[in-house]
Amino acid sequence: MSGKWFNGLNLNTSSTAFARYLAGFAKAYQNEGITINAISPSNEPENVFSDWDASYWASNKLGEFITNNLRPALQEEGLQNTKIISSENAAWGTANTYLSGMDRSNIDILAGHGYVEISEIISGKRGGNQNPSKWTFSTGGKPMWVTEASDDGGSYDSGIEGGLKLAVNMHKLLADCDASAYIFWLGMLAFQNNEALICTRSDGSLEFTKAYDVLGHYSRFVKADYRRIHVAVQNGNGLLISSYKDPQTGKFTIIITNPGTTAVPLDIQLSGVTGGQLANYQTTANSSGHWNLASAISPSANGIYNLTIPAKSISTLAGTKQ
């Protein structure tokens, strides 16, 4: 049935059965030696405009279901360590409002998607959110995940413009909105569409989009246990800069996106750490291959790294504290 017509679960008749179904799903995988780390009871619960199988939930009812039904069902199956993700709204801003109105006490991972806001979806606009806002309610120290995002609108663009849309979306959600995980939808399609990182051309050959390269600037160089560290930008000329550090080894990564049409000179000064040579990986409109090692950058005598960020590019600087 379509999300347009389905008004969610009747909590009086089917909430217990649905909770047992979800818990049984996780338990069945565990019995086969596969541990499910976290489970979500809903996908875009506010999205009544979907044409795929979905269910609409009022926020307070979803919170009640998680607390009164899903958490007890997981415990009955001996899955006390299985985390619960919610609410996975279609837009990051919608998730802020939605989660604010529900019982979050039994949610382990707060989540939203990275698409345009619901008002834009209603008006027919699609794509990755280029200006998401930081959530206004207290998260209580719980992690916030972007559990789905892509560019699901517009003409197919495998080039740098499409890649930069993803780069801006990722930077603003991870750095400005404090998300701690970003999951792209989806990996590969058997045709050409902006929703995938890898597409298939009409002759059957694979096309690796610039969005594929952009995602790799994060996924290859920012590992799961890294922590985002503070970046102070002065006269950045439109550069988007974020930095991440491995607290155990001292490895660190600086990711720089230049969505502008001109190259920008950049001086980097590290604070509280002495860095050695930095490996500079770049993706530009004309770059071939993936994550090209453009150069190795050494600090000047005063410890400052001097470099130039090309127009319409994303750069990753990888280093280790000395």
Side-chain angles (χ1 to χ4, degrees), residues 232 234 252 254 265-271 273-278 296-308 317:
Q234 297 179 349
F252 61 91
I254 304 171
L266 177 65
D267 295 337
I268 297 176
Q269 183 173 15
L270 303 179
S271 177
V273 61
T274 300
Q277 197 174 70
L278 302 182
I297 306 170
S298 299
S300 61
N302 59 3
I304 296 177
Y305 297 86
N306 310 109
L307 64 157
T308 298
L317 307 180

Side-chain angles (χ1 to χ4, degrees), residues 140-154:
K142 294 181 178 181
M144 298 179 293
W145 286 13
V146 183
T147 49
E148 182 179 321
S150 71
D151 184 358
D152 63 342

Side-chain angles (χ1 to χ4, degrees), residues 1-110:
M1 59 186 66
S2 170
K4 290 180 179 178
W5 313 119
F6 188 44
N7 198 31
L9 288 171
N10 183 331
L11 291 181
N12 295 323
T13 62
S14 53
S15 55
T16 298
F18 184 51
R20 287 176 175 169
Y21 166 79
L22 293 172
F25 179 90
K27 184 67 174 182
Y29 272 85
Q30 180 175 285
N31 290 341
E32 296 299 324
I34 302 171
T35 299
I36 292 180
N37 178 62
I39 194 166
S40 172
S42 65
N43 174 61
E44 300 185 355
E46 85 296 0
N47 189 358
V48 296
F49 303 97
S50 64
D51 285 316
W52 52 86
D53 291 347
S55 62
Y56 175 83
W57 293 78
S59 61
N60 64 319
K61 293 301 183 181
L62 182 56
E64 289 175 16
F65 171 76
I66 290 170
T67 295
N68 299 332
N69 301 101
L70 182 54
R71 179 62 73 190
L74 291 171
Q75 292 174 341
E76 288 176 8
E77 292 285 4
L79 301 174
Q80 288 83 359
N81 294 326
T82 302
K83 297 179 176 64
I84 296 176
I85 304 172
S86 201
S87 55
E88 296 204 85
N89 301 87
W92 192 253
T94 306
N96 175 69
T97 303
Y98 193 95
L99 285 162
S100 297
M102 64 186 289
D103 175 10
R104 302 186 299 277
S105 61
N106 282 273
I107 301 174
D108 302 294
I109 300 168
L110 306 170

